[in-house]
Amino acid sequence: RLKLLIHSASNLPRGDERGLSDPYVVCFLGEDEAAPAFQTQVCRQTLDPVWDEEHLVNPYTPGSDMVLQVLDQDDTFKDITERLMSFRGVGSDFLGEVRLASDEFYPYGFEGDLLLEGVPEGRNALLRLRIIVDEGKIQEFV
């Protein structure tokens, strides 16, 4: 199994007309990008969110790559109507993503900042996280 600490992001692009975003992270494993492994809480009105959330991925299949997408939740009626009309899904704008091959975090884990790809406005946005490979020996993050 894997323990992930989604710490923070920095320098995210604006997601609304107020110049801020309501970002959250969605994690996908392997080829199945239809069923997320987990999702963080939404941080309101910020371009530099701090989640400090721990998530357990159990079971983890060695060899499965990981995709972490940072999305902006939109709650306005206008945003929801536009998404329904365009069939893009309700309430989320893409802010960037990180794709990690399995050998980048398994079996030794990972800790650090990762540059988000596909970021609107061409910003150099970062995602900070920690991945611990837990074979039943680790009880909690240090």
Side-chain angles (χ1 to χ4, degrees), residues 78-105:
K78 176 181 178 279
D79 290 329
I80 292 170
T81 303
E82 285 176 359
R83 278 172 190 72
L84 287 172
M85 296 298 286
S86 66
F87 302 103
R88 290 185 300 181
V90 176
S92 296
D93 288 325
F94 180 82
L95 298 178
E97 73 179 11
V98 171
R99 292 182 174 268
L100 289 171
S102 177
D103 62 5
E104 293 180 80
F105 61 87

